[in-house]
Amino acid sequence: MQRVSYPSFRTVLGEHDVVRVAGANHALGGLLAEEAGFQAVWSSSLEVSASRGVPDASILSMAEYLESAANIQKVLRIPVVADCDTGYGGNLNVAHMVHEFEDAGITAVCIEDKLFPKMNSFVAGGQTLLDTREFASKIVTAKRSQSSDDLFVIARTEALISGLDVDAALERCRVYADSGADAVLVHSKAKSRDQVLGFLERWDFRCPVVIVPTTYPDWHIDDIRAAGVSVVIYANQGLRATVTALRDTYRAVYRHGDSTVVEDSIASVQDVFDLQRLPEWQKLDA
Amino acid sequence: MQRVSYPSFRTVLGEHDVVRVAGANHALGGLLAEEAGFQAVWSSSLEVSASRGVPDASILSMAEYLESAANIQKVLRIPVVADCDTGYGGNLNVAHMVHEFEDAGITAVCIEDKLFPKMNSFVAGGQTLLDTREFASKIVTAKRSQSSDDLFVIARTEALISGLDVDAALERCRVYADSGADAVLVHSKAKSRDQVLGFLERWDFRCPVVIVPTTYPDWHIDDIRAAGVSVVIYANQGLRATVTALRDTYRAVYRHGDSTVVEDSIASVQDVFDLQRLPEWQKLDA
Amino acid sequence: MQRVSYPSFRTVLGEHDVVRVAGANHALGGLLAEEAGFQAVWSSSLEVSASRGVPDASILSMAEYLESAANIQKVLRIPVVADCDTGYGGNLNVAHMVHEFEDAGITAVCIEDKLFPKMNSFVAGGQTLLDTREFASKIVTAKRSQSSDDLFVIARTEALISGLDVDAALERCRVYADSGADAVLVHSKAKSRDQVLGFLERWDFRCPVVIVPTTYPDWHIDDIRAAGVSVVIYANQGLRATVTALRDTYRAVYRHGDSTVVEDSIASVQDVFDLQRLPEWQKLDA
Amino acid sequence: MQRVSYPSFRTVLGEHDVVRVAGANHALGGLLAEEAGFQAVWSSSLEVSASRGVPDASILSMAEYLESAANIQKVLRIPVVADCDTGYGGNLNVAHMVHEFEDAGITAVCIEDKLFPKMNSFVAGGQTLLDTREFASKIVTAKRSQSSDDLFVIARTEALISGLDVDAALERCRVYADSGADAVLVHSKAKSRDQVLGFLERWDFRCPVVIVPTTYPDWHIDDIRAAGVSVVIYANQGLRATVTALRDTYRAVYRHGDSTVVEDSIASVQDVFDLQRLPEWQKLDA
């Protein structure tokens, strides 16, 4: 019984006009995203830090994010895209990050152009950008540090998040692409897709574009594709569904005084066993 | 901003006639169990192994289970009860286990009388019991290894799980209690509570009893209390709710082509921030 | 067989006019430092990073340094002083650091006033100081984050390392002491003790002083005591001895073609067993 | 600046008539073994457990041994051979072990035919063998679990260690070779090489033989080669040299009251920087 195998993110991108990616914070979440049809899994720093009960503010260190991404990748037939925040410091940290994530079998990483320590993008305040040239140097460092040509490095600009305009986002992304980024991620927390659309209309597609439509959830995949986007990340819906499910389930069991009240709406123990691939493992002792 | 503090499990047990415990596999789950009113959290080996995508069969090692229990305890105001399987080997492993879990601030551990490596109790087959005296020796070792009188050691018998009868379960539990166990857990996968009730009717309560009503979920807390049970563990309902929530959410987003379809039924990003105690952390930079 | 117990660093400091501390990167090193008579062990970031084969430049993350410090403390009867570099980022990182090191049983931590990511102090270049007020804020944060009054926070100034003079070092240390630091560490890489002596002559001892005489090794403990120093850290001699010993041993075995050549100059396997406290452990199976 | 690359152990074995391997417990040790000329590094469970201050008795779990082996391999140009004790349990544990060590880039693993939990082979008592067929099943499982044909699985018999004779060792090794083992390791703690020579004289070399001449250190590499051995492991001399070096160094510094007494006999800080490859890392910020 071998490990499952998986294609690199670069390969997956070559096979789809739009790659759909779902956020997860553990292997089980990754398995369910794969089951639903997603082509990749986002090892989200918001999800991982929330699962540990601390803010998404560079509090956990690279070791914890790496472990989470690696553990997800180990059981999947689709690639993980690792949310690597700012690269965890300066150029040396970025080089170390590339070494470690490649060693762990991760084929795509994303770094963003904010100062370390960063604050989650949806938090008001604390959104300070790194100088464009310094971030470009991180991208150059990342690409020079990779052992495999397969490694896919996404450069994420927080220009719009920090209050700058589309011009600034475009300028930064051009520099990042020219520094070797395999794709750019243009993040926005506007209530509509207009900012990102504005970006796309003026982008010359010198490299592919990644989006994260958390605050403009009504953007349909067909329209996303038509707008020229290559990768869309549903970054935190799984986490938020988990919060609701756990909150409701724990409350119901506690209030009702027994667990019959939830039995019909939760997976069976056998479902869990199947996700754990128990029958395959049991054959090893046959 | 200090760590939250928490009472020991022994203290909590002294303050409640029945302690209600919910299973979790990460700190976020623990926080939501605490929020719902539970008095303790079960760091479940089924939940932890499932979250890693491997069977609950002693495949993950103590290091991973310890890390999970420790990470849950760090953010809670209620104690964690650590599901420690068989104690991870023989007497030396049990001593090491007690040292490490105590170091991590865990105040209650549970070990069971099956052979290492164990198989999850709800799996048919592979349920081989350890010799009674050998398991009693593990309990003695655990109690002699503790640094604090506070450590609460639960001895779990799998006698009923392995096909033996209530007599056998009683005999084992008497030996375990006399060996120093602070409580006994009598586990059963019967479809009704009758086996466990039979045990309770004949138990002399030389130490408290813990139950895990997974397969007899209709046992109301008032009846559990009346039967003399001191601790009831809802061991895996949270995990099973998570599976359903993630499965439904990922599918819906993938099939609908956007995430508006789930927005109303999942927690907000702000909810997540609150669970991460972001406002308290932000004050550190004020 | 319980864990060994140990006093807090604060307690040790109260019992000695000068506390002598030796650097180590693993529990075995800590045991041998204790055996030699040292009153505490320095979990050195140079030693830990070197043992991992990467520079001492904030490349490893807090998780690795914490694990190393915790593993050393677990087996010792003397306290560990954890070298925590810059506190691993900003104020939030410092708070998290205090939470995690306290959880791991560490009773003394040291943070330094350089920018994150830092470079080892003996490296030419890359020695940029953090603004005094920002570092003072880290000290305030550390002290407010501690759960136990026992935690001892050492504020290390790199003023002399970065090329500033004794006046600057004094000014910074006064601010740090007034911000709550339990001691100040004044580091210097001068070839003589004169810089540090100059500091001591003008220090008003509003809090104790720690020194690290790596580049002025001829400063005798009696003279150190007479100069008013409270803590002296021999930070890396153990690592450097290990390098020489391994280099010589591996070369000798390889060149001679057998290992008789080293047998007389290396510890016996039984020595190793004794350091592992094997006889105590074996009693658990008796 | 990319990770260093390294050949698989299988490749190295194909290029040398005898592969010489040195034990280490951290990356720095591995670097120094490589520097001395060794063709591979043994990630020794005795060394790793001793460095943690606990007996070599299956007390640390797979997670810790894996981490140590992986960290050594990351910085080397030669392959690591991982000492995997008994495979950490039964067949499922062996499969998981192969998955995890392969994921970590390890190209050779060694498992031994003792019961879990094992006791170090040089300890009197506690040396119970696993049934031959059960261990053969572990070898079959290991080979079926590998993802790469490169993985080299060494089957180590403890027959001589447990008091059985050469006939028993031969019989076991034949079964192991026929079950797919890539090599057999015949371990002995006799004071002379005679037992192992007796084995070699009657072995039909259906697969290569590995030896560990700890207690017969006078066996010269030329004679080892002549006897038909393919791999010789100097398993713990590095650890034992470290113990002596640290003991002597700490004592000298403590007793003399300053560290001048050791300065001439220990590596310089610059030596340490070179082993950390600091100049290469610094270029990343140039």
Side-chain angles (χ1 to χ4, degrees):
Chain A
M1 181 199 166
Q2 300 162 322
R3 275 278 198 233
V4 295
S5 61
Y6 55 93
S8 72
F9 182 76
R10 191 180 295 279
T11 298
V12 168
L13 186 62
E15 293 169 346
H16 293 80
D17 46 0
V18 185
V19 175
R20 290 198 263 176
V21 187
N25 63 72
H26 51 34
L28 183 68
L31 286 168
L32 291 162
E34 178 183 304
E35 178 191 282
F38 287 94
Q39 289 92 37
V41 168
W42 174 246
S43 176
S44 152
S45 73
L46 173 59
E47 293 219 359
V48 173
S49 54
S51 76
R52 279 285 300 273
V54 296
D56 179 25
S58 302
I59 291 174
L60 296 184
S61 58
M62 193 191 85
E64 285 102 341
Y65 291 114
L66 171 64
E67 186 185 4
S68 185
N71 285 340
I72 296 171
Q73 185 64 82
K74 283 171 182 173
V75 299
L76 296 193
R77 294 185 170 81
I78 57 176
V80 166
V81 182
D83 175 2
C84 292
D85 286 352
T86 65
Y88 310 108
N91 283 348
L92 278 64
N93 301 279
V94 168
H96 182 61
M97 174 200 93
V98 168
H99 297 167
E100 294 281 318
F101 280 80
E102 276 199 306
D103 278 355
I106 302 299
T107 64
V109 294
C110 178
I111 55 175
E112 67 192 64
D113 59 357
K114 284 202 302 225
L115 282 186
F116 175 92
K118 69 133 205 193
M119 179 54 73
N120 181 277
S121 303
F122 297 111
V123 176
Q127 306 296 342
T128 314
L129 289 187
L130 187 66
D131 172 79
T132 304
R133 289 180 56 139
E134 283 188 61
F135 189 67
S137 178
K138 286 191 185 184
I139 298 166
V140 170
T141 300
K143 296 304 293 180
R144 285 188 184 158
S145 301
Q146 70 187 25
S147 294
S148 162
D149 290 343
D150 245 1
L151 188 74
F152 195 89
V153 176
I154 302 171
R156 163 170 160 174
T157 186
E158 297 275 295
L160 302 176
I161 295 287
S162 75
L164 297 184
D165 62 13
V166 170
D167 282 339
L170 283 162
E171 188 184 326
R172 282 183 168 255
C173 285
R174 285 182 201 120
V175 175
Y176 302 162
D178 294 348
S179 300
D182 295 297
V184 292
L185 187 162
V186 55
H187 201 14
S188 160
K189 55 181 172 186
K191 293 295 178 196
S192 86
R193 75 190 78 162
D194 294 348
Q195 262 191 332
V196 175
L197 266 181
F199 177 95
L200 287 162
E201 282 161 11
R202 296 169 56 197
W203 177 246
D204 61 9
F205 291 92
R206 60 186 77 181
C207 74
V209 175
V210 184
I211 67 164
V212 184
T214 302
T215 55
Y216 26 99
D218 59 338
W219 201 355
H220 193 272
I221 189 66
D222 294 337
D223 300 320
I224 287 172
R225 184 188 293 109
V229 171
S230 297
V231 183
V232 54
I233 301 173
Y234 300 94
N236 47 52
Q237 287 78 7
L239 173 71
R240 291 154 60 199
T242 300
V243 167
T244 300
L246 288 174
R247 180 169 270 156
D248 292 351
T249 300
Y250 289 140
R251 277 187 187 165
V253 172
Y254 197 81
R255 291 180 183 178
H256 283 261
D258 65 52
S259 64
T260 46
V261 64
V262 300
E263 280 293 313
D264 288 344
S265 60
I266 65 178
S268 67
V269 170
Q270 188 59 49
D271 279 340
V272 174
F273 289 168
D274 290 343
L275 287 162
Q276 294 173 303
R277 295 182 175 132
L278 180 60
E280 288 177 65
W281 282 90
Q282 284 180 299
K283 284 181 197 158
L284 297 175
D285 262 344
Chain B
M1 180 198 165
Q2 300 163 322
R3 276 276 199 234
V4 295
S5 61
Y6 56 93
S8 72
F9 183 75
R10 190 180 296 278
T11 298
V12 168
L13 185 62
E15 294 169 345
H16 293 80
D17 46 1
V18 185
V19 175
R20 292 198 262 175
V21 187
N25 62 72
H26 51 34
L28 183 68
L31 286 168
L32 291 161
E34 177 183 305
E35 178 190 283
F38 287 94
Q39 289 92 36
V41 169
W42 174 246
S43 176
S44 151
S45 74
L46 173 60
E47 291 219 0
V48 173
S49 55
S51 77
R52 280 284 300 273
V54 295
D56 179 25
S58 303
I59 291 174
L60 297 183
S61 57
M62 193 191 84
E64 285 102 341
Y65 291 113
L66 171 64
E67 186 185 4
S68 186
N71 286 340
I72 296 171
Q73 184 64 83
K74 284 172 183 172
V75 299
L76 296 193
R77 294 185 169 82
I78 55 175
V80 166
V81 181
D83 175 1
C84 292
D85 286 353
T86 63
Y88 310 109
N91 282 349
L92 278 65
N93 300 279
V94 168
H96 181 61
M97 174 200 93
V98 167
H99 297 167
E100 294 281 318
F101 280 79
E102 276 198 306
D103 278 354
I106 302 299
T107 64
V109 295
C110 177
I111 55 175
E112 66 192 64
D113 60 357
K114 284 201 304 224
L115 282 186
F116 175 93
K118 70 134 205 190
M119 179 54 74
N120 181 278
S121 304
F122 297 112
V123 176
Q127 306 296 342
T128 315
L129 291 187
L130 187 65
D131 172 80
T132 303
R133 289 179 57 139
E134 284 188 60
F135 189 68
S137 178
K138 287 191 185 184
I139 297 166
V140 170
T141 300
K143 295 305 292 180
R144 285 188 184 158
S145 301
Q146 70 186 26
S147 293
S148 163
D149 290 342
D150 247 0
L151 188 73
F152 195 90
V153 176
I154 301 170
R156 163 171 161 175
T157 187
E158 297 276 294
L160 302 176
I161 295 289
S162 75
L164 297 184
D165 60 14
V166 170
D167 283 339
L170 283 163
E171 186 183 329
R172 282 184 167 254
C173 286
R174 285 182 201 120
V175 175
Y176 302 162
D178 294 348
S179 301
D182 294 297
V184 292
L185 188 162
V186 56
H187 201 13
S188 160
K189 55 182 173 186
K191 293 295 177 195
S192 86
R193 75 191 78 162
D194 295 348
Q195 261 191 332
V196 175
L197 267 181
F199 177 97
L200 288 162
E201 283 161 11
R202 295 170 56 198
W203 177 246
D204 61 8
F205 291 92
R206 61 185 78 182
C207 75
V209 174
V210 183
I211 66 164
V212 184
T214 302
T215 55
Y216 27 97
D218 59 339
W219 201 356
H220 193 271
I221 188 67
D222 295 337
D223 299 320
I224 287 171
R225 184 187 296 109
V229 171
S230 297
V231 183
V232 55
I233 302 173
Y234 300 94
N236 48 52
Q237 287 78 7
L239 173 72
R240 290 153 61 198
T242 301
V243 167
T244 299
L246 288 175
R247 179 169 271 156
D248 291 350
T249 299
Y250 288 141
R251 276 188 187 163
V253 172
Y254 197 81
R255 291 181 183 177
H256 284 261
D258 66 52
S259 62
T260 46
V261 64
V262 300
E263 279 294 311
D264 289 344
S265 59
I266 65 179
S268 68
V269 170
Q270 189 58 50
D271 280 339
V272 174
F273 289 167
D274 291 342
L275 286 162
Q276 295 172 304
R277 296 182 175 132
L278 180 60
E280 288 177 64
W281 283 90
Q282 284 179 300
K283 285 180 197 158
L284 297 175
D285 263 345
Chain C
M1 180 197 164
Q2 300 162 322
R3 276 277 199 236
V4 295
S5 61
Y6 55 93
S8 72
F9 182 75
R10 190 181 295 277
T11 299
V12 168
L13 186 62
E15 294 169 346
H16 293 80
D17 46 0
V18 185
V19 176
R20 293 198 261 175
V21 187
N25 62 71
H26 51 35
L28 183 68
L31 286 169
L32 291 162
E34 177 183 304
E35 178 190 282
F38 287 94
Q39 289 93 36
V41 168
W42 174 247
S43 176
S44 152
S45 75
L46 174 60
E47 292 219 0
V48 172
S49 55
S51 77
R52 279 285 300 272
V54 296
D56 178 25
S58 302
I59 291 174
L60 296 184
S61 56
M62 193 191 83
E64 285 103 340
Y65 291 114
L66 171 64
E67 186 186 4
S68 185
N71 285 340
I72 296 172
Q73 185 63 83
K74 284 171 183 174
V75 300
L76 296 192
R77 294 184 169 83
I78 56 176
V80 166
V81 182
D83 176 2
C84 292
D85 286 355
T86 64
Y88 310 109
N91 283 349
L92 278 64
N93 301 280
V94 168
H96 181 60
M97 174 200 93
V98 167
H99 297 167
E100 293 281 319
F101 279 80
E102 275 198 307
D103 278 355
I106 302 298
T107 64
V109 295
C110 177
I111 56 175
E112 67 191 65
D113 60 358
K114 284 202 304 222
L115 283 185
F116 175 93
K118 68 134 207 192
M119 178 54 73
N120 180 276
S121 304
F122 298 112
V123 176
Q127 305 297 340
T128 314
L129 291 187
L130 188 65
D131 172 78
T132 303
R133 290 180 56 137
E134 284 188 60
F135 189 68
S137 178
K138 287 191 184 184
I139 297 166
V140 171
T141 301
K143 295 304 294 179
R144 284 187 184 158
S145 301
Q146 70 186 27
S147 294
S148 162
D149 290 343
D150 246 0
L151 187 73
F152 195 89
V153 176
I154 302 170
R156 163 171 160 173
T157 186
E158 297 276 294
L160 302 176
I161 295 289
S162 76
L164 297 184
D165 61 13
V166 169
D167 281 340
L170 283 162
E171 188 183 328
R172 283 184 167 253
C173 286
R174 285 181 201 121
V175 175
Y176 302 163
D178 293 349
S179 299
D182 294 297
V184 292
L185 188 163
V186 55
H187 201 14
S188 160
K189 56 182 173 186
K191 293 296 178 195
S192 86
R193 74 191 79 163
D194 294 349
Q195 262 190 332
V196 175
L197 266 181
F199 177 95
L200 288 163
E201 283 161 10
R202 296 169 55 196
W203 178 246
D204 62 8
F205 291 92
R206 60 185 77 182
C207 75
V209 175
V210 183
I211 66 164
V212 184
T214 302
T215 56
Y216 27 97
D218 59 339
W219 201 355
H220 192 272
I221 189 67
D222 294 337
D223 300 321
I224 287 171
R225 184 187 295 109
V229 171
S230 296
V231 182
V232 54
I233 302 173
Y234 301 95
N236 49 52
Q237 287 79 7
L239 173 72
R240 291 154 62 199
T242 301
V243 167
T244 299
L246 288 175
R247 181 169 270 157
D248 291 350
T249 300
Y250 289 141
R251 276 188 187 163
V253 172
Y254 197 81
R255 290 181 184 177
H256 284 262
D258 65 53
S259 63
T260 45
V261 63
V262 300
E263 280 292 314
D264 289 345
S265 59
I266 64 179
S268 67
V269 170
Q270 188 59 50
D271 279 339
V272 174
F273 289 166
D274 290 342
L275 287 162
Q276 293 172 304
R277 296 183 175 132
L278 179 60
E280 289 177 64
W281 283 89
Q282 283 179 300
K283 285 181 197 158
L284 297 174
D285 263 344
Chain D
M1 180 199 165
Q2 301 162 322
R3 275 277 200 234
V4 295
S5 62
Y6 55 92
S8 72
F9 182 75
R10 191 180 294 280
T11 298
V12 167
L13 186 62
E15 292 169 346
H16 293 79
D17 45 2
V18 185
V19 175
R20 292 198 262 176
V21 187
N25 62 72
H26 51 34
L28 183 68
L31 286 168
L32 290 162
E34 177 184 305
E35 179 191 282
F38 286 93
Q39 288 94 37
V41 168
W42 174 247
S43 176
S44 152
S45 74
L46 174 60
E47 293 218 0
V48 172
S49 55
S51 77
R52 281 285 300 274
V54 295
D56 179 25
S58 302
I59 291 174
L60 297 184
S61 57
M62 193 191 83
E64 286 103 339
Y65 291 114
L66 171 64
E67 186 185 5
S68 186
N71 285 341
I72 296 172
Q73 185 64 80
K74 284 172 182 174
V75 299
L76 296 192
R77 294 185 169 83
I78 55 176
V80 166
V81 182
D83 176 1
C84 292
D85 286 354
T86 64
Y88 309 109
N91 282 349
L92 277 65
N93 301 280
V94 167
H96 182 60
M97 174 199 94
V98 167
H99 297 167
E100 293 281 318
F101 280 80
E102 275 198 306
D103 278 355
I106 302 298
T107 64
V109 294
C110 178
I111 54 175
E112 66 192 65
D113 59 359
K114 284 201 305 225
L115 282 186
F116 175 92
K118 69 133 206 191
M119 178 53 74
N120 180 278
S121 303
F122 297 113
V123 177
Q127 306 296 340
T128 315
L129 291 187
L130 188 65
D131 172 78
T132 303
R133 289 180 55 139
E134 283 188 61
F135 189 68
S137 178
K138 287 191 183 184
I139 298 166
V140 170
T141 300
K143 295 304 294 180
R144 285 186 185 158
S145 301
Q146 70 186 27
S147 294
S148 162
D149 290 343
D150 246 1
L151 187 73
F152 195 90
V153 176
I154 301 170
R156 163 171 160 174
T157 186
E158 297 275 296
L160 302 176
I161 295 289
S162 76
L164 298 184
D165 61 14
V166 170
D167 281 341
L170 283 163
E171 186 183 328
R172 282 183 167 254
C173 285
R174 285 184 201 117
V175 174
Y176 302 162
D178 294 348
S179 300
D182 294 298
V184 291
L185 187 162
V186 55
H187 201 14
S188 160
K189 56 180 171 186
K191 293 295 178 196
S192 86
R193 75 191 78 165
D194 294 349
Q195 263 191 332
V196 175
L197 267 181
F199 177 96
L200 288 162
E201 282 161 10
R202 295 170 55 198
W203 178 246
D204 62 9
F205 290 93
R206 61 185 76 182
C207 76
V209 175
V210 183
I211 66 164
V212 184
T214 301
T215 54
Y216 27 97
D218 60 338
W219 200 356
H220 192 272
I221 188 68
D222 294 337
D223 300 321
I224 287 172
R225 184 188 294 107
V229 171
S230 295
V231 182
V232 54
I233 301 174
Y234 300 94
N236 49 51
Q237 287 79 7
L239 173 71
R240 291 154 61 199
T242 301
V243 167
T244 299
L246 287 175
R247 180 169 271 158
D248 291 350
T249 299
Y250 288 140
R251 276 187 187 165
V253 172
Y254 196 80
R255 292 181 183 178
H256 284 262
D258 66 52
S259 64
T260 45
V261 63
V262 300
E263 279 294 313
D264 289 345
S265 60
I266 64 179
S268 68
V269 170
Q270 188 59 52
D271 279 339
V272 174
F273 288 167
D274 290 343
L275 286 162
Q276 292 172 304
R277 294 182 177 134
L278 178 61
E280 288 177 64
W281 283 89
Q282 284 180 302
K283 284 182 197 157
L284 297 174
D285 263 345

